[in-house]
Amino acid sequence: GEINWDCPCLGGMAYGPCGPEFREAFSCFVFSEEEPKGINCVEKFQAMQTCFRAHPEVYKDEIMDDDEEEVADASTPSPEGEKPADTPEPVPAPSSQKTSEVPSS
């Protein structure tokens, strides 16, 4: 029933210069009964992101702008031509010329 702020899964985010903002936003989300879950917590998460941006020396890994991330993902080639792990393999389009594989009745 309670959040363990010392849990390693939180990566120490509950403490530091933006700890209060993180705890408020995270608590709001965990206990939210709104649909979609946490929709009532958007302002708290925005305040947390604002705090992260005010302390880039501490939160550089957490500061993300979704628009910039999407653009970077689309325009940055992967090293050695590899695809990112979350990119699905392309599915070959069905060929209309492969009718000979179906037995005739």
Side-chain angles (χ1 to χ4, degrees):
E2 290 185 26
I3 299 171
N4 177 4
W5 298 116
D6 296 319
C7 178
C9 62
L10 297 177
M13 296 293 295
Y15 305 104
C18 297
E21 289 85 350
F22 174 81
R23 290 190 303 271
E24 189 171 344
F26 190 78
S27 293
C28 182
F29 180 80
V30 167
F31 298 112
S32 176
E33 294 181 2
E34 298 292 321
E35 288 297 328
K37 184 166 181 76
I39 191 69
N40 57 312
C41 306
V42 171
E43 289 180 11
K44 292 177 184 352
F45 278 98
Q46 289 172 335
M48 181 185 74
Q49 285 290 321
T50 299
C51 185
F52 287 173
R53 287 184 182 97
H55 300 279
E57 70 285 355
V58 177
Y59 298 102
K60 67 179 185 280
D61 293 337
E62 285 77 20
I63 299 173
M64 293 187 301
D65 181 17
D66 291 336
D67 293 336
E68 288 179 9
E69 185 180 53
E70 288 175 12
V71 170
D73 287 350
S75 64
T76 306
S78 299
E80 300 178 23
E82 295 176 8
K83 288 187 233 163
D86 62 345
T87 303
E89 289 292 321
V91 177
S95 173
S96 60
Q97 298 176 355
K98 289 190 175 185
T99 56
S100 62
E101 294 177 14
V102 178
S104 301
S105 309

